[in-house]
Amino acid sequence: RPEFRHWLTNHEQGSFSRILWIHGPPGVGKSVLCGTVIEYLQDRQAKSEGEEPTVAYFYCDSSFTTKRTPFDICKTLILQLQSQCQEPLPALQTAYRNAALHSRSHISDADDVFSLFRRVTAQLKSSYIVVDGLDECTDIPNVIRWLLDATSSICSLRLIMISRDTLEIRKALTESPSLDLTADSMKPDINIYLSRAVLSLPCDTQQMKEHVLDVVSRKADGMFLFAVLSLQTLQQANSIDDTLEMVESTPRGVYNMYRMILEKLSTESCRRRSLAHKALGVISTSTRPLTWPELKTALSWDTSQQVFRPTNAPFKEVILAILCPLIEYRAETDTFRLVHLSLYEYLFNEPKQHQTYHEEAHFSFNANDIQAELADMSLAQMANDHFSRSINVDGDQYPFALYATKYWCHHLSLSPHDPKRYRKYSAFTANPDRRSTWILRWLLSEDMSFPLQQIVKLQRLVQDWLGKASTNIDSVDSLCDIQRALFRLDELPQPIPGLRMISNFERLVCVRDLAREFTSAGKLDEGVRMFEDALYHAGTEDGSIGLGSCWLLNSLGILYDQQGKTALAKETQQRALVCQQQSLDPGDVDIVLTLNELGRLARHLGHHEEAESLHRNALDILENRFKDTDLHITWTKSALGRSLLKQGRPSEALLLHQQVLRVEVERLGKDHPHTLWTMSDIVRCFRDLSRLDCAINMQQEIVDRSDLVLGSKNPDKLWAMNSLGLLFDMAGNATMAMSVQESAYKDQVEILGENHPHC
């Protein structure tokens, strides 16, 4: 195509000449074209003996949780680019050394992968990047933004993005060169595919094969998926007459093709039809593509007895045979998935008039029922006595273990409430050790910074599900479970094969967030008692604390400060510092963490110059070891900015907080709670600079985002409303101030109680 040749060969100035957006409707063959483009670029690279650019690609997949996020796209591209280099790239070597300082051995989102991607591509002679299924990824604007930013700043980088033509993507790529995959433009490619594919048909007459090619080409109407489904269906023909009848009866349109395939499935025996229905439902509704051991285990689930029956599991060949061509099996990963996103849309999102047919054909799907079955089998796995007490689980013995660990909350939250399901949930959650083991197993298997918000979100999904039955819920139990999981980290051997390590910085981030959650629940004293008990049991007979338990002292210092016991908090942090200085280098990250905590406490005690000195000392150490985008540095800058504001230096503080905000928006996202807290710091700077209009506008944005992300009655959102009311009052708008404050007070009384100190 001319558009592709221009993208490949032009040397015009400007980033848009190095970008190509390829778009088309569902089923037109975008992913097939993507594969062809990648093969072509890789072939050029191989023939040039390294002179051609390196090639990296990513297929976004809405059915796979690790194939649709900006982090996963970026991480995969980085690893592919490095794999084509004979020596480790300097940017990755630096990133690895930094990760090692935090006890991490592989890429996580704590590594600022977007900045790392730019540094990696800048160190290569030239690179081709191809991203398919852009419409299936999460946070589409951010994905497009960092890809465009990288392409505009690195002249040796060329980018192809492939997707459906959605309004969101079109707005973001309105200035980019594009290629529209219309039915007419795809017909020659489809004919090339068909001319090769008909050769494998069981019929042995050339005339019949030419007839098949002609009929399928006309009925495909430029839809590659239709051609693929047709040829796979014809592979099952028993004779020439059967082939002729099948090709003539093939309807036009992908949805009609799906209907015909399901109609044929409905003529199978009751046993095979039931197996096909169950397998199709599980494959469609699983949160990510299941491996064969996972799918085999799920299909062995006895719904009536609510147990797994391994001897009832089907053979892989049977599943492949009865669900062809509706599913795709990938041998390299041993996973099963739907042949196309449009099949899910057909099965679950079709208009009401098609449901009668589905019911008659025995292939009526109810998403809630399938979610319920996945929830039941996940809970059964989680409640298994041996499994529920193990951190590192044998995947051969428990094939469904990893899936159940990660996604039981998701499936339960989407299930209808049922007394039997509630009893199953209770059997798993009755034991605190089981709950904390699940959290610990989840923590060690996830690559994310600040995981507490995600754990709390999962717990709230479950609490919302329990709320459907008006079940009494104690959210404090959930917070205590997280604490127990953090304590148990000290009991584990390090490292654990297959699981990541968690640094003290990550643990203390969790503790800070826990302190806020305990305060909101009015149970801060309970959280403090748990840490005091853990510290007591970690000590020796003479009361001394080992280096490995210093994080407990840091944590208690944070909680004491939250209680208002600032002097005790400072004493506790100083105790941690003495222990660390006896065993660690002066520039060790854990010592820097304690210095920052002491600086924060100095600010709370009104010793603002001391606080500034401690934070600047910490910042000097960190800036000599890490990039400006490292989260240790952003946290330190935030703390320094607050101490400067307390000294009446809002302009200096504003500059620091704006630097932090830029990093957090890129690395954590604009709606992350920590990003919102940084925006609150900026609001306070605007306030002290008498820029009340700017302060009010940003505070309103914080309230709006908190409402979307945290919920309309989340305590943080309500505190943000209190701050907004105060700003309106300072601006002389007493009416708006009163309205906002009254609304916040009403909800605070409802969720916290009238006697809560924050009311």
Side-chain angles (χ1 to χ4, degrees), residues 440-510:
L440 188 53
R441 197 187 308 124
W442 186 93
L443 277 172
L444 292 170
S445 64
E446 290 291 331
D447 290 330
M448 62 172 61
S449 304
F450 312 126
L452 182 76
Q453 286 83 12
Q454 183 62 25
I455 297 174
V456 171
K457 181 179 179 179
L458 293 174
Q459 291 173 326
R460 284 173 178 160
L461 285 175
V462 175
Q463 290 172 0
D464 288 343
W465 180 81
L466 292 171
K468 297 174 185 176
S470 301
T471 306
N472 290 326
I473 306 163
D474 188 354
S475 61
V476 177
D477 282 346
S478 300
L479 301 177
C480 293
D481 292 341
I482 297 172
Q483 282 194 224
R484 293 188 191 96
L486 294 177
F487 297 154
R488 291 181 62 186
L489 282 171
D490 291 335
E491 303 169 10
L492 302 178
Q494 298 288 347
I496 304 174
L499 299 176
R500 78 181 190 94
M501 297 177 65
I502 295 179
S503 67
N504 284 339
F505 175 67
E506 292 174 289
R507 285 206 270 197
L508 293 183
V509 168
C510 278

XYZ file of all heavy atoms in Angstrom, residues 440-510:
579
model
N -0.969 -12.110 50.866
C 0.474 -12.214 50.679
C 0.804 -12.873 49.345
O 1.692 -12.421 48.609
C 1.076 -13.021 51.832
C 2.597 -13.088 51.916
C 3.201 -11.692 51.885
C 3.016 -13.824 53.177
N 0.072 -13.932 49.003
C 0.294 -14.598 47.718
C 0.002 -13.639 46.569
O 0.716 -13.606 45.566
C -0.604 -15.836 47.632
C -0.175 -16.822 46.546
C -1.172 -17.955 46.369
N -1.492 -18.619 47.594
C -2.731 -18.773 48.076
N -3.755 -18.293 47.388
N -2.953 -19.391 49.197
N -1.035 -12.829 46.721
C -1.397 -11.852 45.691
C -0.310 -10.783 45.571
O 0.112 -10.426 44.462
C -2.740 -11.220 46.050
C -3.289 -10.317 45.000
C -4.148 -10.642 43.990
C -3.019 -8.911 44.844
N -4.428 -9.539 43.221
C -3.749 -8.470 43.715
C -2.232 -8.003 45.535
C -3.705 -7.150 43.283
C -2.182 -6.687 45.100
C -2.919 -6.267 43.987
N 0.154 -10.265 46.715
C 1.182 -9.229 46.710
C 2.455 -9.694 46.000
O 3.058 -8.955 45.213
C 1.544 -8.831 48.141
C 0.666 -7.814 48.864
C 1.093 -7.711 50.317
C 0.760 -6.453 48.198
N 2.847 -10.925 46.269
C 4.102 -11.436 45.741
C 4.029 -11.795 44.261
O 5.048 -12.042 43.629
C 4.543 -12.664 46.543
C 4.953 -12.382 47.997
C 5.134 -13.682 48.757
C 6.215 -11.555 48.056
N 2.823 -11.847 43.722
C 2.680 -12.216 42.310
C 2.368 -11.028 41.421
O 2.259 -11.178 40.198
C 1.572 -13.270 42.149
O 0.306 -12.740 42.518
N 2.214 -9.833 42.002
C 1.840 -8.648 41.224
C 3.023 -7.709 41.065
O 3.781 -7.490 42.010
C 0.685 -7.896 41.905
C -0.641 -8.632 41.841
C -1.213 -8.682 40.438
O -0.947 -7.766 39.658
O -1.923 -9.648 40.137
N 3.166 -7.137 39.860
C 4.216 -6.157 39.580
C 3.595 -4.764 39.542
O 3.286 -4.237 38.486
C 4.889 -6.436 38.232
C 5.726 -7.696 38.273
O 6.242 -8.015 39.348
O 5.848 -8.357 37.229
N 3.406 -4.180 40.705
C 2.826 -2.824 40.721
C 3.342 -2.069 41.932
O 3.661 -2.645 42.974
C 1.297 -2.865 40.743
C 0.687 -3.541 41.957
S -1.112 -3.343 42.015
C -1.598 -4.135 40.519
N 3.440 -0.745 41.753
C 3.759 0.119 42.877
C 2.483 0.418 43.650
O 1.391 0.449 43.081
C 4.360 1.440 42.378
O 5.484 1.208 41.579
N 2.623 0.639 44.948
C 1.494 1.014 45.792
C 0.323 0.038 45.616
O -0.748 0.418 45.166
C 1.028 2.440 45.490
C 2.161 3.428 45.437
C 2.350 4.244 44.342
C 3.059 3.528 46.483
C 3.401 5.150 44.290
C 4.104 4.429 46.446
C 4.272 5.239 45.345
N 0.521 -1.257 45.940
C -0.534 -2.243 45.687
C -1.694 -2.158 46.661
O -2.726 -2.773 46.422
C 0.204 -3.577 45.842
C 1.306 -3.271 46.824
C 1.728 -1.861 46.515
N -1.531 -1.415 47.763
C -2.587 -1.428 48.773
C -3.920 -0.984 48.199
O -4.965 -1.578 48.490
C -2.216 -0.529 49.959
C -3.275 -0.535 51.067
C -3.197 -1.813 51.878
C -3.163 0.673 51.966
N -3.913 0.069 47.368
C -5.176 0.546 46.809
C -5.884 -0.559 46.026
O -7.103 -0.675 46.068
C -4.952 1.765 45.899
C -4.640 3.051 46.635
C -3.185 3.160 46.996
O -2.360 2.402 46.529
N -2.855 4.110 47.849
N -5.107 -1.385 45.309
C -5.718 -2.453 44.530
C -6.292 -3.531 45.449
O -7.377 -4.063 45.199
C -4.691 -3.058 43.572
C -5.246 -4.140 42.663
C -6.335 -3.644 41.733
O -6.382 -2.468 41.418
N -7.219 -4.528 41.307
N -5.579 -3.858 46.532
C -6.099 -4.852 47.476
C -7.373 -4.335 48.118
O -8.373 -5.063 48.234
C -5.054 -5.172 48.562
C -3.810 -5.786 47.939
C -5.642 -6.120 49.603
C -2.689 -6.002 48.923
N -7.338 -3.089 48.552
C -8.537 -2.503 49.176
C -9.690 -2.481 48.183
O -10.846 -2.747 48.536
C -8.226 -1.085 49.703
C -9.505 -0.388 50.154
C -7.233 -1.160 50.857
N -9.384 -2.194 46.923
C -10.430 -2.195 45.898
C -11.047 -3.581 45.751
O -12.277 -3.722 45.657
C -9.843 -1.740 44.559
C -10.858 -1.671 43.426
C -10.212 -1.186 42.142
C -11.226 -1.139 41.004
N -10.601 -0.649 39.742
N -10.202 -4.627 45.754
C -10.716 -5.991 45.671
C -11.593 -6.314 46.880
O -12.661 -6.926 46.749
C -9.557 -6.986 45.578
C -8.710 -6.939 44.307
C -7.520 -7.884 44.425
C -9.542 -7.290 43.082
N -11.134 -5.899 48.059
C -11.918 -6.161 49.267
C -13.257 -5.424 49.224
O -14.282 -5.958 49.670
C -11.117 -5.744 50.503
C -9.909 -6.643 50.764
C -9.043 -6.125 51.888
O -8.908 -4.915 52.086
N -8.425 -7.019 52.632
N -13.237 -4.228 48.651
C -14.494 -3.479 48.571
C -15.455 -4.095 47.565
O -16.682 -4.025 47.744
C -14.205 -2.015 48.216
C -13.664 -1.232 49.412
C -13.221 0.163 49.033
N -12.750 0.887 50.203
C -11.978 1.949 50.169
N -11.591 2.442 48.995
N -11.580 2.545 51.270
N -14.908 -4.692 46.501
C -15.778 -5.417 45.571
C -16.538 -6.511 46.314
O -17.741 -6.698 46.118
C -14.941 -6.044 44.447
C -14.402 -5.121 43.357
C -13.509 -5.908 42.403
C -15.535 -4.457 42.587
N -15.809 -7.229 47.170
C -16.438 -8.301 47.940
C -17.433 -7.726 48.942
O -18.532 -8.259 49.129
C -15.362 -9.140 48.655
C -16.011 -10.180 49.569
C -14.472 -9.835 47.636
N -17.052 -6.623 49.581
C -17.956 -6.014 50.555
C -19.235 -5.523 49.894
O -20.323 -5.647 50.467
C -17.237 -4.868 51.281
C -16.140 -5.352 52.223
C -15.319 -4.217 52.790
O -15.561 -3.047 52.492
N -14.332 -4.548 53.598
N -19.118 -4.992 48.694
C -20.317 -4.573 47.958
C -21.200 -5.776 47.647
O -22.430 -5.702 47.727
C -19.928 -3.869 46.654
C -19.334 -2.494 46.884
O -19.516 -1.957 47.993
O -18.695 -1.963 45.956
N -20.577 -6.893 47.296
C -21.343 -8.114 47.023
C -22.047 -8.594 48.297
O -23.215 -8.949 48.265
C -20.409 -9.201 46.495
C -21.107 -10.492 46.182
C -21.814 -10.795 45.055
C -21.166 -11.650 47.011
N -22.308 -12.081 45.132
C -21.922 -12.626 46.324
C -20.650 -11.969 48.266
C -22.174 -13.890 46.846
C -20.895 -13.223 48.792
C -21.651 -14.166 48.088
N -21.321 -8.555 49.409
C -21.935 -8.948 50.675
C -23.067 -8.001 51.052
O -24.073 -8.413 51.625
C -20.883 -8.954 51.793
C -19.799 -10.026 51.695
C -18.718 -9.768 52.735
C -20.400 -11.408 51.884
N -22.906 -6.728 50.692
C -23.926 -5.737 51.016
C -25.256 -5.997 50.350
O -26.298 -5.522 50.811
N -25.258 -6.777 49.249
C -26.522 -7.110 48.584
C -27.436 -7.903 49.494
O -28.653 -7.892 49.330
C -26.246 -7.917 47.308
C -25.450 -7.181 46.249
C -25.105 -8.100 45.088
C -24.202 -7.405 44.083
N -23.773 -8.310 42.998
N -26.814 -8.608 50.443
C -27.617 -9.415 51.368
C -27.708 -8.750 52.736
O -28.105 -9.380 53.707
C -27.017 -10.803 51.516
N -27.313 -7.460 52.792
C -27.340 -6.706 54.048
C -26.536 -7.405 55.132
O -26.883 -7.397 56.311
C -28.788 -6.501 54.532
O -29.534 -5.806 53.562
N -25.420 -8.050 54.723
C -24.560 -8.731 55.678
C -23.755 -7.702 56.458
O -23.261 -6.734 55.906
C -23.594 -9.672 54.929
O -24.368 -10.524 54.097
C -22.764 -10.500 55.890
N -23.603 -7.919 57.748
C -22.789 -7.022 58.552
C -21.322 -7.181 58.155
O -20.775 -8.284 58.129
C -22.949 -7.344 60.043
C -24.332 -6.974 60.544
O -24.920 -6.007 60.079
N -24.851 -7.743 61.492
N -20.688 -6.095 57.833
C -19.313 -6.125 57.342
C -18.439 -5.284 58.261
O -18.770 -4.153 58.585
C -19.237 -5.552 55.910
C -20.227 -6.277 55.001
C -17.837 -5.633 55.360
C -20.510 -5.524 53.730
N -17.317 -5.840 58.691
C -16.355 -5.087 59.476
C -15.142 -4.822 58.596
O -14.318 -5.708 58.374
C -15.953 -5.872 60.726
C -15.093 -5.028 61.675
O -14.734 -3.900 61.288
O -14.799 -5.503 62.776
N -15.055 -3.589 58.089
C -13.953 -3.279 57.180
C -12.609 -3.323 57.889
O -11.566 -3.467 57.245
C -14.160 -1.888 56.561
O -14.186 -0.893 57.561
N -12.605 -3.214 59.237
C -11.357 -3.262 59.980
C -10.696 -4.627 59.827
O -9.472 -4.743 59.760
C -11.609 -2.938 61.471
C -10.313 -3.063 62.267
C -12.158 -1.529 61.607
N -11.497 -5.686 59.753
C -10.930 -7.021 59.540
C -10.092 -7.052 58.271
O -9.031 -7.676 58.225
C -12.048 -8.070 59.445
C -12.602 -8.442 60.814
O -11.952 -8.096 61.814
O -13.674 -9.062 60.866
N -10.568 -6.386 57.219
C -9.837 -6.364 55.958
C -8.495 -5.661 56.124
O -7.477 -6.103 55.579
C -10.668 -5.658 54.881
O -11.891 -6.328 54.666
N -8.481 -4.566 56.879
C -7.238 -3.840 57.099
C -6.267 -4.663 57.942
O -5.064 -4.697 57.671
C -7.523 -2.506 57.788
C -8.455 -1.550 57.032
C -8.719 -0.304 57.868
C -7.850 -1.158 55.693
N -6.784 -5.365 58.940
C -5.935 -6.215 59.780
C -5.333 -7.357 58.969
O -4.196 -7.775 59.211
C -6.730 -6.768 60.961
S -7.239 -5.500 62.164
N -6.099 -7.863 58.018
C -5.573 -8.916 57.151
C -4.351 -8.435 56.389
O -3.371 -9.170 56.212
C -6.645 -9.373 56.153
C -7.794 -10.111 56.821
O -7.602 -10.587 57.958
O -8.870 -10.194 56.204
N -4.398 -7.196 55.907
C -3.268 -6.637 55.168
C -2.055 -6.511 56.093
O -0.924 -6.830 55.709
C -3.641 -5.276 54.559
C -4.777 -5.446 53.540
C -2.435 -4.628 53.894
C -5.354 -4.153 53.030
N -2.291 -6.068 57.332
C -1.188 -5.962 58.285
C -0.556 -7.325 58.532
O 0.674 -7.469 58.553
C -1.691 -5.379 59.614
C -1.875 -3.878 59.578
C -2.037 -3.277 60.964
O -2.888 -2.443 61.174
N -1.233 -3.688 61.914
N -1.386 -8.343 58.737
C -0.843 -9.686 58.988
C 0.003 -10.157 57.809
O 1.042 -10.800 57.997
C -1.987 -10.672 59.250
C -2.756 -10.430 60.533
C -3.743 -11.558 60.807
N -4.646 -11.207 61.886
C -5.864 -10.688 61.720
N -6.323 -10.495 60.479
N -6.612 -10.379 62.748
N -0.457 -9.842 56.609
C 0.310 -10.230 55.422
C 1.674 -9.541 55.410
O 2.699 -10.160 55.077
C -0.478 -9.890 54.161
N 1.722 -8.266 55.782
C 2.989 -7.546 55.835
C 3.917 -8.150 56.880
O 5.130 -8.272 56.663
C 2.743 -6.065 56.136
C 2.008 -5.254 55.054
C 1.769 -3.836 55.535
C 2.803 -5.248 53.755
N 3.364 -8.538 58.042
C 4.182 -9.153 59.085
C 4.790 -10.468 58.593
O 5.952 -10.774 58.870
C 3.344 -9.439 60.341
C 2.784 -8.215 61.013
C 1.635 -8.281 61.778
C 3.415 -6.990 60.885
C 1.106 -7.164 62.393
C 2.899 -5.855 61.497
C 1.743 -5.944 62.257
N 4.012 -11.234 57.854
C 4.456 -12.560 57.443
C 5.559 -12.509 56.381
O 6.226 -13.510 56.139
C 3.269 -13.376 56.935
C 2.288 -13.752 58.037
C 1.134 -14.569 57.514
N 1.564 -15.825 56.944
C 0.739 -16.670 56.317
N -0.552 -16.369 56.200
N 1.191 -17.811 55.823
N 5.762 -11.343 55.771
C 6.858 -11.213 54.819
C 8.196 -11.532 55.477
O 9.103 -12.086 54.835
C 6.900 -9.792 54.246
C 5.879 -9.444 53.159
C 5.918 -7.954 52.867
C 6.148 -10.234 51.885
N 8.332 -11.190 56.774
C 9.591 -11.433 57.480
C 9.840 -12.916 57.722
O 10.967 -13.320 58.017
C 9.599 -10.695 58.825
C 9.663 -9.184 58.644
O 10.160 -8.735 57.600
O 9.202 -8.459 59.544
N 8.798 -13.736 57.623
C 8.944 -15.169 57.877
C 9.363 -15.936 56.627
O 9.724 -17.113 56.708
C 7.608 -15.749 58.385
C 7.066 -15.065 59.636
C 5.636 -15.484 59.932
O 5.160 -16.442 59.272
O 4.999 -14.866 60.796
N 9.299 -15.275 55.463
C 9.536 -15.978 54.208
C 11.009 -15.990 53.838
O 11.726 -15.021 54.093
C 8.745 -15.308 53.078
C 7.228 -15.223 53.264
C 6.611 -14.484 52.088
C 6.629 -16.606 53.392
N 11.467 -17.076 53.194
C 12.837 -17.073 52.656
C 12.917 -16.099 51.487
O 11.956 -15.925 50.753
C 13.024 -18.521 52.182
C 11.636 -19.017 51.911
C 10.747 -18.325 52.917
N 14.025 -15.435 51.334
C 14.198 -14.470 50.242
C 15.395 -14.877 49.397
O 16.480 -15.118 49.929
C 14.416 -13.056 50.803
C 13.262 -12.518 51.612
C 12.060 -12.151 50.762
O 12.146 -12.076 49.546
N 10.934 -11.916 51.402
N 15.273 -14.921 48.079
C 14.014 -14.739 47.349
C 13.236 -16.045 47.235
O 13.781 -17.112 47.469
C 14.497 -14.287 45.963
C 15.822 -15.001 45.807
C 16.435 -15.047 47.182
N 11.952 -15.931 46.855
C 11.120 -17.097 46.617
C 11.034 -17.305 45.112
O 10.633 -16.398 44.387
C 9.702 -16.896 47.206
C 9.796 -16.557 48.692
C 8.857 -18.141 46.996
C 8.458 -16.206 49.302
N 11.411 -18.487 44.615
C 11.369 -18.718 43.162
C 9.987 -18.422 42.583
O 8.969 -18.863 43.107
C 11.709 -20.209 43.033
C 12.475 -20.538 44.279
C 11.878 -19.667 45.356
N 9.962 -17.630 41.505
C 8.707 -17.336 40.821
C 7.917 -16.198 41.414
O 6.904 -15.781 40.848
N 8.346 -15.678 42.570
C 7.615 -14.588 43.218
C 8.561 -13.404 43.405
O 9.764 -13.571 43.607
C 7.052 -15.030 44.569
C 6.048 -16.190 44.530
C 5.647 -16.582 45.947
C 4.806 -15.826 43.724
N 8.014 -12.211 43.372
C 8.846 -11.027 43.481
C 9.100 -10.688 44.943
O 8.391 -11.159 45.839
C 8.178 -9.841 42.779
C 7.046 -9.179 43.554
C 6.456 -8.048 42.735
N 5.528 -7.241 43.505
C 5.874 -6.131 44.148
N 7.124 -5.722 44.126
N 4.976 -5.428 44.819
N 10.103 -9.874 45.200
C 10.397 -9.405 46.548
C 9.746 -8.043 46.756
O 9.533 -7.293 45.809
C 11.911 -9.319 46.754
C 12.630 -10.651 46.646
S 14.424 -10.493 46.812
C 14.577 -9.934 48.511
N 9.443 -7.727 48.001
C 8.809 -6.455 48.335
C 9.765 -5.662 49.217
O 10.197 -6.137 50.273
C 7.465 -6.684 49.053
C 6.484 -7.376 48.101
C 6.881 -5.370 49.554
C 5.135 -7.677 48.706
N 10.111 -4.456 48.774
C 11.078 -3.632 49.504
C 10.421 -2.985 50.712
O 9.199 -2.910 50.822
C 11.640 -2.547 48.579
O 10.616 -1.617 48.238
N 11.271 -2.487 51.615
C 10.749 -1.772 52.788
C 10.017 -0.504 52.378
O 9.054 -0.100 53.035
C 11.890 -1.433 53.757
C 12.351 -2.648 54.539
O 11.611 -3.625 54.667
N 13.569 -2.603 55.053
N 10.478 0.147 51.299
C 9.781 1.336 50.812
C 8.340 0.996 50.444
O 7.406 1.714 50.805
C 10.518 1.906 49.593
C 9.823 3.069 48.936
C 9.706 4.277 49.592
C 9.286 2.952 47.664
C 9.069 5.365 48.994
C 8.646 4.013 47.056
C 8.541 5.225 47.728
N 8.152 -0.121 49.728
C 6.801 -0.535 49.346
C 5.968 -0.868 50.579
O 4.778 -0.564 50.639
C 6.877 -1.737 48.407
C 7.471 -1.411 47.041
C 7.668 -2.644 46.195
O 8.566 -3.442 46.510
O 6.921 -2.825 45.218
N 6.593 -1.504 51.570
C 5.843 -1.830 52.791
C 5.415 -0.561 53.527
O 4.275 -0.473 54.009
C 6.701 -2.707 53.709
C 6.803 -4.136 53.230
C 7.078 -5.090 54.360
N 8.494 -5.289 54.598
C 8.992 -6.309 55.302
N 8.195 -7.212 55.818
N 10.289 -6.437 55.486
N 6.315 0.411 53.595
C 5.969 1.638 54.318
C 4.916 2.452 53.582
O 4.099 3.133 54.204
C 7.225 2.482 54.560
C 8.249 1.859 55.522
C 9.411 2.811 55.752
C 7.609 1.490 56.851
N 4.918 2.385 52.248
C 3.846 3.029 51.488
C 2.509 2.395 51.867
O 1.502 3.082 52.074
C 4.103 2.911 49.968
C 2.857 3.304 49.177
C 5.264 3.807 49.566
N 2.503 1.054 51.969
C 1.285 0.358 52.405
C 0.864 0.813 53.796
O -0.320 1.034 54.062
C 1.514 -1.160 52.414
S 1.340 -1.966 50.820
